[in-house]
Amino acid sequence: MSATFTLNFFRSGILFSSWGSFQVPGLLNFGEFKCTDSDKKCHLWTVLDLAFFIIMGVCGGLLGATFNCLNKRLAKYRMKNVHPKPKLIRVCESLLVSLVTTVIVFVSSMVLGECRPLSPTNDWNNSTVTMQVSSSDEVNSSIKTFFCPNNTYNDMATLFFNPQESAILQLFHQDGTFSPVTLSFFCCMYFLLSCWTFGMSVPSGLFVPSLLCGAAFGRLVANVLKSYLGLTHIYSGTYALIGAAAFLGGVVRMTISLTVILIESTNEISYGLPIMITLMVAKWTGDFFNKGIYDIHVALRGVPLLEWETEEETEKLRACDIMEPNLTYVYPHTRIQSLVSILRTTAHHAFPVVTENRGNEKEFMKGNQLISNNIKFKKSSILTRAGEQRKRSQSMKSYPSSELRNMCDEHLAAEEPVEKEDMLQQMLERKYTPYPNLYPDQSPSEEWTMEERFRPLTFHGLVLRSQLVTLLVRGVCYTETQSSASQPRLSHAEMSEDYPRYPDIHDVNLTLLNPRMIVDVTPYMNPSPFTVSPNTHVSQVFNLFRTMGLRHLPVVNAVGEIVGIITRHNLTHEFLQARLRQHYMTS
């Protein structure tokens, strides 16, 4: 709103020397749509015209679907054959498009352009004719003669040799006619050139070219209806506007926002109904064949953009069916060399903070301060959860973790023995075999066995990549001979000082840090992120992801062990369909 009024204030003062009058609302203005006073039978639109508008919406949807299909194939070709090559190839493609466009514009204007007579009230001057009509000065001043005799103008050159906004105004408000050959050729050429140009390695828009191409299509329909069906009452500018809306709606599949833009640009509220009907018909027709142009390019670039909702078929899937079980994680206390290795070999933006559930923890704690710190942190975390559980239920039977009860037996009063007949407890009381001699200063390796890779891990929280990099850059660590309390502490302001452009781990100079030093990530991790159970329905996972704006969703089982993680990639339409097919094959 501030930008709109500021622009209006300065344009009104500069163009009309009327500061503070607010006479020029916005940059995009299609002018005033009205019939001439001499034509009493003319109407902007009637109920009969709505039938033609619906047909134009269908045609616009078909043209938009064709445009999107061709541009998608061209974009795939560019990604495969142009983008991997040197940048000079992209420059050559841009020069080729410019050369072809220039040749087409000049040759078509000289060969196919018709010299049409000017209105008797118009004056001609050089290559530009100026009509002294206050409401259409911009339209009349942009008429091009282009080698035509006096008092005539070249209709093809008038469309090609003007800025796109001026050409749109010509199609909307020009009293003189454009021949069907000119409109047909201009519409086809602009369709192909716009399709070729969009997606090049140069800034090129799609909104205004689509409006111009559609306006030529609508003006062609109006000429056909006037010449061959005898419908002389129709207003050509209205059909040009509806054609522009139909084609643009068929390409981008916008409805409400595009209706508002066009009504605001025309300053004619009566066009609301025909524009809305045309856009809806164009969208429904185009959606029958493919998606909008922006959705297509989002998919081509691999951006995990989530749909509004999941399909009903995905109700058969659970969180365990779509999660990523192969985790890259960090320990509460981890050596610098391990963190650097993880950050430089992965592209993940968050890492679970975990501890291992070892059966012989006391043996591992002897003689290794790093492992001892991690096990102590796990015990304190479990005891905290136990205290919270006792306050809620005053009975440890309600908590299904046998490990938690055994831990509490060492520190709290003895609890009643668990019934041997409890089948749930028998399932949960798993006896883990001693794990391989893997220390927290070793990063996950692809040579790990299945037992090593998927061993039980107690989940404690999530730590972000940006947080780990910040800790390394600021040297937040401690030596193995010291306590973790000696590690420097950073405030929230210091942690977010580089937001949003955090340093890249590949650009950070870590030569001054001792790789054997230890980083305590527990003060900076998120200890209570959103989590789901492995048996949670995909629809619930999807709704939680969208409504809470999540990026990572850990999957945690009943005993607090992380079994996988879900990101946006796991919730895209293509991924869910692939997992659904896999589910049908295995069921």
Side-chain angles (χ1 to χ4, degrees):
M1 294 297 294
S2 300
T4 299
F5 281 104
T6 303
L7 179 65
N8 197 338
F9 175 79
F10 281 102
R11 293 196 72 201
S12 301
I14 295 173
L15 298 179
F16 298 99
S17 300
S18 179
W19 297 94
S21 61
F22 297 101
Q23 297 180 10
V24 189
L27 288 172
L28 189 62
N29 186 4
F30 292 153
E32 183 181 3
F33 287 75
K34 66 176 182 178
C35 298
T36 59
D37 297 334
S38 59
D39 193 354
K40 302 299 182 181
K41 297 182 179 180
C42 175
H43 300 283
L44 291 182
W45 66 277
T46 62
V47 176
L48 179 62
D49 294 327
L50 287 178
F52 295 109
F53 295 162
I54 293 175
I55 297 175
M56 292 176 65
V58 173
C59 296
L62 294 175
L63 290 174
T66 305
F67 183 96
N68 295 350
C69 180
L70 294 176
N71 189 263
K72 180 180 179 180
R73 293 177 179 271
L74 186 60
K76 287 184 176 180
Y77 177 82
R78 285 193 178 109
M79 295 172 65
K80 182 179 180 181
N81 300 288
V82 177
H83 293 172
K85 295 182 179 180
K87 295 182 179 180
L88 181 62
I89 302 298
R90 304 186 189 184
V91 177
C92 293
E93 183 194 17
S94 303
L95 295 176
L96 177 62
V97 173
S98 301
L99 176 62
V100 172
T101 303
T102 304
V103 171
I104 290 176
V105 168
F106 274 93
V107 173
S108 61
S109 298
M110 289 188 293
V111 176
L112 299 178
E114 294 186 12
C115 295
R116 311 188 72 85
L118 295 170
S119 175
T121 58
N122 301 332
D123 298 325
W124 172 77
N125 182 18
N126 256 343
S127 63
T128 302
V129 175
T130 304
M131 300 181 183
Q132 304 300 325
V133 182
S134 59
S135 63
S136 57
D137 284 342
E138 185 176 356
V139 175
N140 301 330
S141 62
S142 60
I143 292 178
K144 304 296 181 181
T145 57
F146 200 76
F147 303 116
C148 285
N150 293 344
N151 297 325
T152 60
Y153 69 95
N154 190 313
D155 58 351
M156 186 76 75
T158 300
L159 295 178
F160 270 128
F161 282 95
N162 273 313
Q164 297 181 36
E165 293 80 1
S166 300
I168 292 175
L169 291 176
Q170 288 285 344
L171 293 170
F172 284 171
H173 303 292
Q174 178 56 260
D175 294 332
T177 60
F178 296 92
S179 67
V181 175
T182 296
L183 293 173
S184 301
F185 182 82
F186 179 81
C187 182
C188 292
M189 285 298 100
Y190 228 85
F191 178 93
L192 296 176
L193 291 175
S194 299
C195 185
W196 190 9
T197 304
F198 185 73
M200 287 197 314
S201 300
V202 295
S204 58
L206 182 67
F207 195 90
V208 177
S210 298
L211 284 177
L212 180 55
C213 184
F217 162 69
R219 190 66 182 257
L220 176 63
V221 173
N223 285 7
V224 171
L225 294 178
K226 281 185 175 181
S227 303
Y228 297 98
L229 296 182
L231 301 178
T232 57
H233 71 281
I234 65 175
Y235 182 62
S236 300
T238 299
Y239 277 78
L241 176 65
I242 296 300
F247 183 74
L248 182 57
V251 172
V252 301
R253 313 290 162 79
M254 297 163 61
T255 53
I256 298 177
S257 58
L258 191 54
T259 301
V260 174
I261 292 173
L262 293 177
I263 292 177
E264 182 182 357
S265 301
T266 59
N267 199 24
E268 183 60 56
I269 192 64
S270 63
Y271 280 143
L273 179 61
I275 289 176
M276 190 175 299
I277 291 177
T278 304
L279 289 175
M280 292 303 299
V281 173
K283 173 179 170 56
W284 291 336
T285 304
D287 286 342
F288 185 78
F289 297 97
N290 50 31
K291 294 183 177 181
I293 187 67
Y294 299 129
D295 295 321
I296 289 175
H297 279 267
V298 165
L300 288 176
R301 282 159 176 75
V303 179
L305 186 65
L306 300 184
E307 302 289 342
W308 288 107
E309 57 186 7
T310 58
E311 298 180 358
E312 293 183 1
E313 296 180 347
T314 56
E315 285 293 330
K316 301 176 182 179
L317 297 177
R318 306 295 178 111
C320 57
D321 297 323
I322 66 171
M323 68 182 185
E324 174 56 51
N326 190 7
L327 300 173
T328 302
Y329 49 83
V330 298
Y331 296 97
H333 302 263
T334 309
R335 295 195 190 278
I336 288 180
Q337 63 181 13
S338 178
L339 291 178
V340 173
S341 175
I342 292 174
L343 293 173
R344 288 183 173 176
T345 56
T346 64
H348 306 310
H349 290 275
F351 303 92
V353 180
V354 302
T355 51
E356 300 177 11
N357 297 332
R358 299 180 180 273
N360 52 348
E361 291 178 343
K362 293 183 179 180
E363 296 296 327
F364 275 92
M365 291 177 64
K366 295 179 179 179
N368 194 311
Q369 183 66 28
L370 177 59
I371 295 180
S372 176
N373 288 345
N374 284 322
I375 294 177
K376 289 179 180 179
F377 176 80
K378 185 189 75 168
K379 288 184 176 182
S380 63
S381 177
I382 292 176
L383 289 174
T384 302
R385 294 206 309 269
E388 295 172 354
Q389 183 66 21
R390 286 179 60 86
K391 292 179 181 179
R392 289 195 298 266
S393 63
Q394 296 299 319
S395 174
M396 293 307 298
K397 289 183 180 180
S398 62
Y399 202 94
S401 172
S402 60
E403 179 187 3
L404 180 59
R405 284 197 297 272
N406 294 336
M407 292 277 303
C408 293
D409 287 342
E410 301 177 4
H411 301 273
L412 304 174
E415 301 294 333
E416 296 180 4
V418 182
E419 297 292 337
K420 294 298 183 181
E421 292 78 15
D422 189 351
M423 296 301 297
L424 176 62
Q425 300 302 328
Q426 292 181 16
M427 293 174 60
L428 294 175
E429 288 179 352
R430 295 170 291 180
K431 301 300 182 181
Y432 304 129
T433 57
Y435 296 102
N437 191 15
L438 296 173
Y439 291 91
D441 56 354
Q442 297 177 347
S443 58
S445 172
E446 294 185 357
E447 288 78 17
W448 283 6
T449 63
M450 293 295 292
E451 179 187 4
E452 296 168 349
R453 185 176 294 276
F454 298 105
R455 60 188 183 275
L457 301 169
T458 299
F459 178 69
H460 299 289
L462 275 179
V463 62
L464 301 179
R465 166 182 286 268
S466 58
Q467 293 174 320
L468 294 178
V469 175
T470 302
L471 294 177
L472 293 176
V473 169
R474 295 181 175 271
V476 178
C477 54
Y478 68 96
T479 62
E480 195 166 2
T481 58
Q482 296 176 325
S483 170
S484 59
S486 61
Q487 175 179 280
R489 294 297 178 93
L490 298 181
S491 63
H492 175 73
E494 292 173 322
M495 289 292 294
S496 57
E497 183 177 344
D498 296 325
Y499 176 85
R501 295 177 177 83
Y502 290 101
D504 192 330
I505 187 62
H506 299 282
D507 301 331
V508 176
N509 183 12
L510 302 175
T511 56
L512 300 179
L513 294 178
N514 183 357
R516 300 294 298 174
M517 297 187 74
I518 304 171
V519 177
D520 181 11
V521 302
T522 56
Y524 310 101
M525 71 178 184
N526 180 8
S528 55
F530 287 96
T531 60
V532 293
S533 166
N535 292 323
T536 306
H537 287 284
V538 166
S539 59
Q540 293 176 280
V541 175
F542 190 89
N543 292 334
L544 178 63
F545 230 86
R546 280 200 66 95
T547 54
M548 303 309 300
L550 304 182
R551 295 297 180 92
H552 313 88
L553 186 61
V555 182
V556 181
N557 63 14
V559 295
E561 297 166 351
I562 184 169
V563 295
I565 196 167
I566 296 175
T567 63
R568 286 180 298 171
H569 292 276
N570 304 103
L571 294 172
T572 57
H573 176 75
E574 295 76 11
F575 187 89
L576 291 179
Q577 290 299 318
R579 289 306 172 96
L580 197 59
R581 290 191 296 267
Q582 184 179 355
H583 175 77
Y584 286 139
M585 293 175 60
T586 56
S587 60

